[in-house]
Amino acid sequence: MNPSEVDIDTTDLVKRAQFGCQESMERLARQARHSLFVYIYRLTLNHNTAEDLVQDALLEMVKSLKKLNHPECFRAWLFRTALGKVQHYFRDRQHERTVLPMSALDREKLLQRAWDGNCDGLKNLINRELSQAIVDAMAKLKLRHRNILILRCCEHMPYSEIAKVMNCSQFAAQVLFFRAKQILKQKLSKHGFGKTMLAGGLGMFGFMTNPAQVSAVSVSAASVKVNFIAAFIGFFFIKPGLSILTLIAAGMFTAGTMTLLNFDEFDRSKLPSRSEVRSFHYVSQSWSQTGNTNSNLTRGRSLSKGAYEQWYFFPEGVDGPMFMMMQRWDPKQVNKLCGWLQNGSGNYYYHSGEKTIYLYNYHLPLSTLQTRRLPSDSPQFTEFLDQVEGKIAGLDYSRDPETGLLTGVLDTRFYNAQDFKTYFSYNDVDEKSFGSFRYTWPDASIMDVRDEMHKRGWTNFQIAGNINGNKVQGFGQIPFTYDTYLKQKPWLRMQLGDRIEIIDCDRQAYITSDENVIAFYPSGSFFKGLARQWSGMHTIDVIRRDAANQKIKFSIRDFDYDRNSWDKYYGKAEIKLFNSVDPCQPEIIYTIDIDRDLLEKIEFPETNNFLEFNYPDIDQYGQSFTEPTEIKIKNIIQKNNVGILWLKELSNGTLIQ
């Protein structure tokens, strides 16, 4: 069963089978049999064993199907059931930490599928050698390692689905996948195959172990990647033979309870109210080069080998646009290293090794994939993000009970910086500090790598789509920086069918029907849930924070990250916002261009509605890109800004009533 088969038809079959439809149950069993056999055969590498366990898994499916609360998650539930049968089988034979020996007949059958007599001599020789190497290497892997390689590379499962199969977090799955890859690479290298053959070897294994496969299986480079922080933890923190799932269960990567610390050094008399905050400053400890990384495996060493000092400034208050600068220091916090600046004019990165200042398109996202959080965020907002993304173990926070502002953090994660205290100072930086910050860097050449629209500082955009059978077309303007925002305000004009128009501009937002205003909103209401680059955050953070403000759970699909490049982020990100009633069902799906920091598409899966965003060249601009004029509105009560929920109301037809 490949991912495309787990669609509405399968979900409908599950629902009908749960209501007692025998025909649906039989169709579901037939549909599941092949995928179950392939999955279990890949786990056991034993044909007879796989046949027996498939029967057990199908019987369990029939018996327990009514207990499945989310029919759309059937595939993950089915594979979880099958995995349980395999694990039980191995435990009964006391092979939990090893694998059952593969019979000579099974090995010969697998290899025969890879040997194509029609290939030229060299290709056939490579196929033979690679097929033998990958079969032998996969057979020697522990069950959990082979399982996650199969799920990710042969079944093409996203980490969200793998987490359900393996009953762990998505992050734990990524770390385990990284470890499994490293072990497999080592085993393949003993056969003379380098790391570049990993994807090809896994594709070969997928082809050989699927009797119905008629052509080679492709394993993309993206599918064998994990995000940067998962790779780091997988490399440094996992002792050979120690399961990441065990560490998760032991609490190594899960959050403890938040405690209220008594930081006597903090002067609360200098603490403003939240509405008075214009800036804050703090230092987050990272790692030094000293210490034995094996001395305490519950702690490790950092990537920066030092500390990151950070400043934030809000020219219009903490709920408005944001400037940010960050300085990386050496371990003793004496010498400056790389630096980042995002002020009113652009996004700058000082590469200390190259002595070059780069100007780039996007606001800096976090490499951990976590949503950017601020010391000024409310406790309720932070707690919701903790529920969605998890807390970081080893960090305990202190908040002022009156304002809710963070006052300090106690960091106990690291053996070389034990009990490191971070303090937050407020309102000690002004806009001038940010404007001149880059000139305090050493003399350096400047390289502008922005595209033309980002160099210009703003762009127009077009909207096209469909909402409940109504054609959507629209136009708008977005500034990329705060300085441009002060001169050219964002605006939006979107036509829904022949009668309805949604407008958002500098001083007002409203909806018209047949050119008559029927609803009036605060300015900016219809930019909630959309990109707002002038706000000082990357679009992935803008969308997720908008969702968190309305208590909407979300997930993000990994985007590409290159730790060795100054321009680390590229590719596409996919953010899913989930139904509050059914946490497996996405209500809204965003596609975002990471490098250009642009919103490309919004989809509403339950209704097949969608909005697409296009950014035409300046030569294509015409009369359509005319900013809406302010109108006088009488006898209409202004409605409240509902945030990102306006998009949900637009899709389900309740925005215009």
Side-chain angles (χ1 to χ4, degrees):
M1 186 189 308
N2 59 48
S4 64
E5 292 174 338
V6 188
D7 52 18
I8 298 175
D9 292 338
T10 300
T11 302
D12 186 55
L13 271 180
V14 172
K15 291 179 179 179
R16 283 186 284 171
Q18 287 179 319
F19 279 105
C21 177
Q22 187 62 33
E23 181 183 354
S24 296
M25 182 66 80
E26 291 174 358
R27 286 182 59 192
L28 197 62
R30 288 195 299 271
Q31 181 175 307
R33 179 180 292 276
H34 174 73
S35 58
L36 277 176
F37 174 79
V38 173
Y39 175 55
I40 295 175
Y41 181 49
R42 286 167 172 165
L43 288 176
T44 63
L45 294 176
N46 187 297
H47 189 278
N48 293 333
T49 300
E51 288 282 11
D52 293 339
L53 294 181
V54 165
Q55 297 303 319
D56 292 345
L58 286 173
L59 288 174
E60 184 67 28
M61 182 199 84
V62 173
K63 183 173 65 175
S64 304
L65 188 63
K66 288 186 178 180
K67 298 178 182 179
L68 177 61
N69 295 324
H70 304 291
E72 66 279 0
C73 299
F74 172 73
R75 182 184 185 223
W77 175 82
L78 181 67
F79 276 40
R80 174 64 190 161
T81 301
L83 178 61
K85 296 297 180 183
V86 174
Q87 290 171 329
H88 183 72
Y89 180 84
F90 275 44
R91 283 194 297 268
D92 283 352
R93 286 149 186 79
Q94 298 183 345
H95 283 286
E96 184 178 4
R97 292 188 175 273
T98 59
V99 297
L100 295 176
M102 181 170 43
S103 70
L105 180 60
D106 279 308
R107 187 175 187 276
E108 184 63 26
K109 285 182 177 179
L110 286 177
L111 296 180
Q112 192 62 44
R113 285 182 55 78
W115 298 348
D116 185 357
N118 295 323
C119 294
D120 59 62
L122 178 59
K123 183 176 180 181
N124 197 26
L125 178 62
I126 294 174
N127 280 351
R128 284 174 176 266
E129 292 182 353
L130 180 58
S131 62
Q132 292 181 67
I134 191 65
V135 166
D136 292 342
M138 290 292 283
K140 292 176 182 178
L141 290 179
K142 293 176 181 177
L143 177 63
R144 63 177 178 273
H145 292 148
R146 186 159 67 253
N147 181 42
I148 199 161
L149 289 171
I150 290 167
L151 293 175
R152 182 66 176 163
C153 298
C154 299
E155 299 293 342
H156 306 292
M157 279 191 178
Y159 288 114
S160 58
E161 199 170 356
I162 292 174
K164 294 183 178 70
V165 175
M166 301 191 70
N167 195 27
C168 66
S169 70
Q170 293 186 45
F171 184 72
Q174 293 184 56
V175 175
L176 183 61
F177 180 63
F178 176 84
R179 290 290 298 164
K181 281 197 312 173
Q182 300 305 109
I183 295 170
L184 182 60
K185 286 178 184 177
Q186 293 171 7
K187 294 186 182 299
L188 286 176
S189 67
K190 294 179 181 179
H191 293 270
F193 291 99
K195 62 182 181 180
T196 58
M197 296 301 293
L198 178 66
L202 287 167
M204 178 74 76
F205 179 80
F207 168 70
M208 290 187 294
T209 52
N210 187 350
Q213 200 76 47
V214 296
S215 60
V217 177
S218 174
V219 176
S220 68
S223 69
V224 295
K225 290 182 179 180
V226 296
N227 74 60
F228 166 68
I229 197 67
F232 171 69
I233 290 177
F235 184 77
F236 284 109
F237 285 13
I238 310 300
K239 185 189 295 184
L242 184 61
S243 167
I244 179 65
L245 302 182
T246 302
L247 293 176
I248 293 291
M252 178 175 173
F253 297 119
T254 55
T257 57
M258 180 178 288
T259 58
L260 197 63
L261 307 176
N262 293 317
F263 288 164
D264 296 332
E265 300 91 332
F266 187 81
D267 184 359
R268 283 190 165 82
S269 66
K270 297 181 179 180
L271 193 66
S273 65
R274 186 177 185 277
S275 62
E276 296 172 331
V277 172
R278 287 296 180 272
S279 72
F280 47 79
H281 164 247
Y282 63 94
V283 177
S284 58
Q285 176 65 24
S286 199
W287 299 103
S288 72
Q289 294 176 321
T290 61
N292 179 2
T293 59
N294 294 321
S295 63
N296 186 348
L297 285 176
T298 64
R299 300 179 182 179
R301 60 186 179 84
S302 84
L303 302 168
S304 71
K305 301 181 178 63
Y308 287 91
E309 187 171 11
Q310 300 183 53
W311 299 261
Y312 290 80
F313 175 70
F314 303 87
E316 299 179 5
V318 290
D319 294 319
M322 178 190 80
F323 298 170
M324 184 272 285
M325 56 185 176
M326 180 166 62
Q327 179 64 60
R328 177 181 166 191
W329 294 87
D330 69 356
K332 295 182 180 180
Q333 298 184 28
V334 173
N335 299 311
K336 293 180 179 179
L337 301 176
C338 298
W340 292 260
L341 169 65
Q342 297 178 170
N343 62 6
S345 61
N347 308 311
Y348 306 86
Y349 167 58
Y350 170 63
H351 193 303
S352 58
E354 298 179 3
K355 297 190 181 303
T356 301
I357 297 173
Y358 290 96
L359 284 80
Y360 48 89
N361 292 330
Y362 54 80
H363 296 289
L364 189 69
L366 299 179
S367 60
T368 61
L369 294 185
Q370 275 205 325
T371 304
R372 185 173 293 279
R373 308 181 188 196
L374 304 174
S376 53
D377 288 337
S378 70
Q380 297 79 12
F381 181 86
T382 303
E383 288 169 7
F384 181 79
L385 285 178
D386 286 343
Q387 293 174 14
V388 175
E389 301 178 320
K391 301 177 184 177
I392 300 176
L395 296 180
D396 290 319
Y397 301 90
S398 174
R399 286 188 182 273
D400 178 67
E402 293 185 9
T403 64
L405 298 175
L406 279 181
T407 56
V409 178
L410 178 63
D411 193 335
T412 60
R413 294 175 296 171
F414 315 137
Y415 61 77
N416 54 5
Q418 296 187 33
D419 298 338
F420 181 85
K421 294 180 180 179
T422 294
Y423 299 97
F424 296 91
S425 61
Y426 292 86
N427 291 348
D428 59 355
V429 193
D430 57 21
E431 187 169 359
K432 183 178 180 181
S433 301
F434 281 84
S436 62
F437 180 72
R438 71 188 182 101
Y439 300 111
T440 66
W441 292 339
D443 291 338
S445 59
I446 298 178
M447 183 174 293
D448 192 340
V449 295
R450 296 173 296 178
D451 58 33
E452 290 303 316
M453 71 170 66
H454 283 84
K455 289 179 181 179
R456 189 170 60 246
W458 60 275
T459 188
N460 286 135
F461 62 90
Q462 295 174 311
I463 305 175
N466 179 80
I467 297 294
N468 300 323
N470 294 304
K471 180 181 178 181
V472 175
Q473 57 181 354
F475 308 92
Q477 175 176 282
I478 47 173
F480 292 129
T481 66
Y482 182 71
D483 289 353
T484 306
Y485 165 78
L486 295 177
K487 303 172 184 177
Q488 293 179 265
K489 297 294 185 179
W491 59 265
L492 166 70
R493 182 196 298 272
M494 187 166 67
Q495 187 80 28
L496 181 64
D498 298 327
R499 301 178 56 194
I500 305 300
E501 191 171 38
I502 298 172
I503 292 175
D504 199 330
C505 52
D506 182 24
R507 297 183 181 180
Q508 57 189 194
Y510 53 92
I511 300 174
T512 68
S513 177
D514 296 327
E515 300 184 355
N516 296 313
V517 176
I518 59 173
F520 176 45
Y521 296 84
S523 175
S525 293
F526 300 124
F527 274 98
K528 295 294 183 180
L530 304 184
R532 300 191 298 279
Q533 290 86 343
W534 66 91
S535 70
M537 286 192 186
H538 197 285
T539 299
I540 63 171
D541 285 321
V542 170
I543 301 301
R544 291 183 294 177
R545 286 176 65 89
D546 282 352
N549 271 315
Q550 297 296 330
K551 300 294 190 294
I552 300 174
K553 293 186 177 181
F554 57 82
S555 69
I556 183 170
R557 180 182 60 80
D558 295 5
F559 52 86
D560 294 316
Y561 175 83
D562 181 2
R563 63 176 294 187
N564 297 314
S565 169
W566 70 266
D567 190 8
K568 294 179 171 57
Y569 307 94
Y570 57 95
K572 309 291 184 185
E574 182 181 85
I575 298 176
K576 293 182 179 180
L577 309 188
F578 292 97
N579 188 306
S580 58
V581 178
D582 186 348
C584 290
Q585 177 62 47
E587 280 191 311
I588 305 178
I589 300 177
Y590 288 85
T591 302
I592 298 163
D593 184 322
I594 291 296
D595 174 64
R596 298 204 302 161
D597 197 1
L598 295 174
L599 175 60
E600 292 190 345
K601 190 172 184 179
I602 302 176
E603 299 171 85
F604 306 87
E606 293 181 328
T607 60
N608 294 321
N609 295 333
F610 69 94
L611 299 173
E612 291 182 332
F613 296 79
N614 181 44
Y615 305 87
D617 295 333
I618 193 168
D619 293 338
Q620 296 177 274
Y621 295 169
Q623 294 297 322
S624 299
F625 295 98
T626 302
E627 181 178 357
T629 58
E630 184 178 355
I631 63 173
K632 295 182 179 180
I633 301 175
K634 298 180 180 180
N635 302 322
I636 297 180
I637 299 176
Q638 178 173 291
K639 292 188 176 183
N640 293 328
N641 183 344
V642 296
I644 199 172
L645 291 176
W646 83 269
L647 286 165
K648 178 180 177 180
E649 293 181 0
L650 175 68
S651 180
N652 63 27
T654 59
L655 179 65
I656 305 163
Q657 290 183 336

